[in-house]
Amino acid sequence: MLDAEKLSHTGRIDALKALEWHAAWIQAQQAHILAALEADAQDALPAGVWDRNAEGEWNFACEEVACALKLSGTTAAKRLEVARELDRHYPTTLGLLERGEICYMQAVAVTEACAVLDPEVAGQVEAALAEKMPGMATGQTRRALTREIVRADPHGAEQRHQARKRERQMVHYPKDDGMAMWGAILPAEQAAAMTQAVDVHAATLADDGRTLEQKRVDALFDLVVNHTGSGAQAPSGRSAAVVQVTVPLDVLIGDSDDPAQLKGYGPITAGQAREVAFADGTVWRRLIIEPATGMLIKTDPTTYKPTAETERHVIARDGHCTFPTCHMPAHRCDLDHVEPFNHHNPAAGGQTIPENLAPLCRRHHLMKTHHPGWSLTRNPATGTATWTAPSGHTYTNPPHDYRE
């Protein structure tokens, strides 16, 4: 029996990783068995009486699984669906799960994201990501799947976007303690513009003890109900209302339908990108990348406080907090020196250049600066950030690849 109390801190991390590997293997075995149960149910359909409703009327695998595993019917049905898709269409992903190279939720992400595709195209998407998924977290896997799906099926992606756009709607849910959730389901680029407008207006509110999130909610209410802010002067710096879309030139001019990248959201279709790019008032900024790595490669003068251009460069380059599992947008992070700035002798090291700056959310900034054992390095050639934990384990986070 594994006794956590007798393990060192490093041993506990190693044990955790080993258990996760075993859990992935077990979940892969469950998928095999669930797929076989689904096949049993198919074989049990009465001969000669099948119609479009027959499978649903005679397939009771869901009920058996729900009872055996103490699951709801909905959860059991989802487990069966994922197992069936992995077994029939995604053997490579199932193999990665069986070998413990990915987690179950990554496998689920593949089946969910590719459900809109023809089997042949879905296979292309799986093949494109098979080597990358073991190095990704679940959220990164979902974003990469979205990008590959748009790349593999740009016409279908645009059609699906237009269909969903026609379904845009307001949402209003009651919550506990006299609260409610209010919002809208709308195109991602419009949501990004609204978020930036709210942030701009929130920055004009008085510093009276409200948190940033409280100010943002109050700013949204003020903009909608009181119609204020239309003539407000946007503050300079990171909070300015900018919808940032990174789009290759060939996509911009219509020679390619590869996906673009909407800051704060992820991959969008070429049509969405061109709609934003050619809207009135759009400002274009050129970003230069390294062809071999896709990494942003522009540099700026060095001072302790980053120049506005250096700040824009680092935020555009990394997109999010540099910690591997954190998705805090870079424009809401601190820009921290990877090698500490030397205030007594600035020339001695720790320069304020993009290669030595990393966006860190406040939590991970404090952890890096004050928690013993945590450290960060950044490879200037590849842009990969490497974190070392107190246990000695290392975790890497590559920069955004602008070729993708």
Side-chain angles (χ1 to χ4, degrees):
M1 179 177 176
L2 188 64
D3 189 345
E5 294 300 321
K6 295 181 180 179
L7 296 174
S8 67
H9 180 74
T10 299
R12 288 168 184 161
I13 295 294
D14 287 334
L16 191 65
K17 293 170 68 176
L19 289 170
E20 187 68 13
W21 182 91
H22 284 290
W25 181 85
I26 289 171
Q27 286 165 327
Q29 304 316 305
Q30 275 197 335
H32 286 301
I33 293 172
L34 287 166
L37 286 170
E38 182 81 355
D40 289 344
Q42 296 283 337
D43 293 340
L45 290 175
V49 297
W50 188 90
D51 60 31
R52 61 184 301 175
N53 298 315
E55 182 176 350
E57 293 173 354
W58 285 89
N59 187 342
F60 298 113
C62 177
E63 283 73 14
E64 281 196 278
V65 170
C67 292
L69 301 183
K70 298 180 175 63
L71 302 173
S72 70
T74 301
T75 302
K78 181 63 179 178
R79 289 270 195 98
L80 282 163
E81 179 187 359
V82 170
R84 181 183 67 245
E85 291 301 304
L86 289 172
D87 182 68
R88 291 182 184 177
H89 303 300
Y90 307 106
T92 301
T93 299
L94 184 54
L96 291 171
L97 180 65
E98 197 161 17
R99 294 191 297 273
E101 297 181 44
I102 63 172
C103 71
Y104 178 70
M105 292 311 299
Q106 287 176 280
V108 172
V110 171
T111 65
E112 290 179 340
C114 294
V116 298
L117 301 174
D118 292 334
E120 183 179 349
V121 180
Q124 294 173 9
V125 171
E126 182 193 34
L129 291 181
E131 293 184 4
K132 301 177 182 179
M133 278 197 293
M136 294 177 172
T138 301
Q140 292 171 320
T141 300
R142 288 190 179 277
R143 289 191 293 275
L145 282 164
T146 301
R147 185 170 55 246
E148 288 298 332
I149 286 169
V150 175
R151 175 176 289 135
D153 184 28
H155 181 65
E158 183 63 28
Q159 284 186 319
R160 291 189 293 273
H161 169 65
Q162 293 301 329
R164 292 297 302 274
K165 189 174 180 179
R166 290 190 292 271
E167 297 170 359
R168 59 192 183 275
Q169 60 181 303
M170 294 288 299
V171 290
H172 181 195
Y173 304 145
K175 305 288 283 186
D176 293 336
D177 302 317
M179 303 298 285
M181 198 290 294
W182 183 91
I185 299 174
L186 72 168
E189 66 273 16
Q190 292 182 358
M194 290 175 66
T195 298
Q196 293 295 336
V198 167
D199 285 348
V200 167
H201 191 44
T204 69
L205 301 183
D207 290 328
D208 51 9
R210 285 177 288 181
T211 66
L212 174 60
E213 286 304 315
Q214 289 170 340
K215 284 185 175 182
R216 296 177 81 206
V217 172
D218 295 345
L220 175 62
F221 179 83
D222 203 22
L223 287 168
V224 173
V225 175
N226 299 323
H227 308 289
T228 58
S230 58
Q233 193 70 26
S236 60
R238 293 191 222 173
S239 60
V242 176
V243 178
Q244 181 176 307
V245 177
T246 305
V247 51
L249 180 60
D250 57 349
V251 173
L252 194 64
I253 63 178
D255 281 352
S256 170
D257 285 324
D258 276 355
Q261 191 80 7
L262 174 63
K263 178 181 176 181
Y265 175 76
I268 58 175
T269 68
Q272 287 177 275
R274 288 190 281 266
E275 185 175 339
V276 174
F278 295 107
D280 290 342
T282 296
V283 176
W284 294 6
R285 289 196 178 99
R286 182 180 61 182
L287 301 179
I288 303 171
I289 66 169
E290 163 59 48
T293 65
M295 185 174 65
L296 203 59
I297 56 171
K298 194 163 173 264
T299 59
D300 282 287
T302 60
T303 57
Y304 172 63
K305 180 177 173 55
T307 64
E309 183 64 22
T310 297
E311 187 175 270
R312 284 195 295 270
H313 171 84
V314 175
I315 291 170
R317 180 193 68 197
D318 293 325
H320 296 85
C321 173
T322 305
F323 195 75
T325 60
C326 184
H327 305 300
M328 178 69 74
H331 71 278
R332 295 177 61 185
C333 292
D334 302 329
L335 295 192
D336 185 45
H337 291 76
V338 177
E339 179 186 349
F341 185 83
N342 190 327
H343 291 272
H344 301 292
N345 184 10
Q351 293 182 310
T352 310
I353 56 176
E355 292 79 4
N356 192 46
L357 292 173
L360 296 178
C361 70
R362 185 54 53 89
R363 173 179 174 80
H364 293 128
H365 188 176
L366 292 173
M367 182 182 77
K368 170 185 172 290
T369 304
H370 300 294
H371 194 290
W374 279 103
S375 63
L376 169 64
T377 59
R378 185 177 183 277
N379 185 319
T382 66
T384 298
T386 300
W387 287 80
T388 302
S391 64
H393 294 87
T394 58
Y395 307 95
T396 59
N397 191 23
H400 178 69
D401 187 340
Y402 277 87
R403 297 169 302 173
E404 297 183 337

